[in-house]
Amino acid sequence: MSLVYITRKETFAAAHKLSREDWSEEKNQMVFGKCANANWHGHNYVLFITVKGQPAADTGFVVNLSALSELVRTKIISQVDHKNLNLDVPFMKGKMSSTEVLAVAIWEELYQEIQDMGCALHCIKVQETDNNYVEYFGEK
Amino acid sequence: MSLVYITRKETFAAAHKLSREDWSEEKNQMVFGKCANANWHGHNYVLFITVKGQPAADTGFVVNLSALSELVRTKIISQVDHKNLNLDVPFMKGKMSSTEVLAVAIWEELYQEIQDMGCALHCIKVQETDNNYVEYFGEK
Amino acid sequence: MSLVYITRKETFAAAHKLSREDWSEEKNQMVFGKCANANWHGHNYVLFITVKGQPAADTGFVVNLSALSELVRTKIISQVDHKNLNLDVPFMKGKMSSTEVLAVAIWEELYQEIQDMGCALHCIKVQETDNNYVEYFGEK
Amino acid sequence: MSLVYITRKETFAAAHKLSREDWSEEKNQMVFGKCANANWHGHNYVLFITVKGQPAADTGFVVNLSALSELVRTKIISQVDHKNLNLDVPFMKGKMSSTEVLAVAIWEELYQEIQDMGCALHCIKVQETDNNYVEYFGEK
Amino acid sequence: MSLVYITRKETFAAAHKLSREDWSEEKNQMVFGKCANANWHGHNYVLFITVKGQPAADTGFVVNLSALSELVRTKIISQVDHKNLNLDVPFMKGKMSSTEVLAVAIWEELYQEIQDMGCALHCIKVQETDNNYVEYFGEK
Amino acid sequence: MSLVYITRKETFAAAHKLSREDWSEEKNQMVFGKCANANWHGHNYVLFITVKGQPAADTGFVVNLSALSELVRTKIISQVDHKNLNLDVPFMKGKMSSTEVLAVAIWEELYQEIQDMGCALHCIKVQETDNNYVEYFGEK
């Protein structure tokens, strides 16, 4: 028996902004800085999905990466790619579009369906720019 | 005498969309695909500015990179970073925000001032995603 | 008028070897070293296709990148991805599978069809590993 | 006392395929897709070896990286670089050449000898393409 | 509640050497090889600071990345960037300038102040070259 | 006939500083900023050597990359890797160690010997950090 972790990378390009309607423009500016720009800005996001499990005896696969990629594209990429994270994405409605919140939301979208594929979701990593990224392991 | 080319890289994050108001939604969709999303999308753009000239005898510099970086940040990055290319950027007003058009517009913003620094602008390269980039050398 | 260069990146994974049947094993080993391994080896190749032209007034595009990508996938990637460059690729039959020869062969496959799209092929760049790449500009 | 993790990166280029002789061509195609190509395909693999231990008081080293690199090159890289993972590699004989199985096999090749160097193997990470990688931490 | 990890990347360029004054030149050469060069050598170091915590309800932030970056620049980057790690850096005085020791020293410089920002330092990762990096998680 | 360009990448780590002994400390500071640090700083330099020529009919090679790499390692890398560019490198003696001057000096070291291998040196590119690089094509 060998517990192995396998990671698939996907990318998407999206617009967003960080600002609260219940805060003044001054407060939004002070807390969120240039990320509060009224007319939005955007990023090339990079998404890493890590699952863990035992490699199957016949295939040597923890998971069929084509099936995992298909799932991620259907459930996540089609919702966020070339979209506005604040306005267009059902699973982000009413949430701040920080990278932290986005990573947790993607975890929740994928967790059960990856379980149903016979392995376990281990980590969602979302990279917003070359200089920062977020990881969520399902910890409370 | 040695003609040397030196390149500085800068980055910015911006929102944009590709669509024409004088076209139907169907035509915009057909030509621009997901890039026409009404609520915008965005990218981490990478900008490479290449200048050429003779290294100075005393410094060994074609150009002082700090001064070049300062110029590019003042004239370009402050205008486009965490902004909407269609709505917020004076030098893009009335233009399509394709990477091609953006590269030519940045060339025109920088050309004379780089000349005034004693060297010559050689190339503006703009990378929109890992999978595509544009180069403009001032050719007609 | 502004002559702009735009580059699209595609990737493929292929097996190949460098050896000549009309040479002894010793000579193959001496000239090609470990690249002559009888049972093949392989690479993640990266292909950059650069075309040049005038951005169209209505779209701001030199070429529609989706159409260019579709052409490259149909004509090249479907032929070489997860294939053996020596055995499986019609346009490489009877040729050495060096990166140099591969780049020239890809240029010849794409040149006319890119012309037919209204722009001009400028460069085929093929990267074999992080440590080496080849460029062909159609020069004799 | 400070437990520190140090990682060395090595690369190799290899051919392989995913298919089972006890399966029909149709089943191989269905499960492994283009990875089942009869004439092989290949990758530039990237291997990361992470070891952990206490930095020595006199050198500040958890392990001498030159010695670690020498070990990895002798035991692993010389076996897999410019080779066919299915046909040429003793420690992969009779195994599927999936990235998962390869990572576990490399762990087993290195574990004891790294122990003998006075530190502990923590992780073997194998990257097959830019879009996927596998990690094994010796867990059952 | 969701425990999220967020990582900020910073870079610095520094000179250093690995050698001990209480060892002969021969022993330094034997143990440290070319890293013992008397007139120093240097690297572009990459520093990754990972902190963990609960995203705040109003901002969605585990930590304000601008504030974290400001702290790291004030406490670390200003001390090490374009400096000599052996001669110029107060928090490295009297220590070997191995990547292992450097990572532990940076952890100690940042730990309490990150605690005071309301989250917890999780990992200091220091990359010396593309081929090696070190991680410290505060473990004894 | 097909004129093909092939590029080999090599890396080296070196210390240097930018300052003139015939200038005051204030002037050095004003012109070179933090690059004038008295106790040096350093970089992971990346060197790209591009040669051009006709692929040979029998090998498909413009140049044997192993031979080119061997030449570059003997003539350049062994002189600059883990060295001080100002103090240790014969071909940089009496010169400013700017990236521009370094690229021209490497060109002069390699030009004739590459000619003797039956192809032509086309470009020396030296990258000092991720944010800047220099190219020299032998132009006056």
Side-chain angles (χ1 to χ4, degrees), chain E residues 4-5 9-10 17 29 46 50-51 53 55 74 79 84 91 105-106 115 118:
Chain E
V4 179
Y5 299 71
K9 180 179 115 178
E10 304 282 348
K17 69 175 163 185
Q29 200 60 43
V46 190
T50 303
V51 305
T74 306
Q79 306 296 305
N84 184 309
F91 66 75
I106 292 173
Q115 203 84 359

Side-chain angles (χ1 to χ4, degrees), chain C residues 62-102:
Chain C
V62 164
V63 66
N64 191 309
L65 274 186
S66 300
L68 178 61
S69 176
E70 180 64 26
L71 170 68
V72 174
R73 286 170 191 247
T74 305
K75 295 271 296 183
I76 308 294
I77 303 301
S78 67
Q79 307 295 305
V80 293
D81 188 31
H82 284 72
K83 295 286 169 62
N84 184 309
L85 297 181
N86 301 57
L87 302 178
D88 296 332
V89 182
F91 66 76
M92 290 296 291
K93 279 286 161 61
K95 300 179 181 172
M96 295 299 293
S97 64
S98 74
T99 320
E100 290 93 324
V101 171
L102 180 60

Side-chain angles (χ1 to χ4, degrees), chain A residues 34 37 40-43, chain B residues 11-14 76-85 89:
Chain A
K34 58 189 182 180
N37 182 53
W40 320 95
H41 66 285
H43 300 289
Chain B
T11 60
F12 59 96
I76 307 296
I77 303 301
S78 67
Q79 307 295 307
V80 294
D81 187 31
H82 284 71
K83 294 288 168 61
N84 184 309
L85 297 181
V89 182

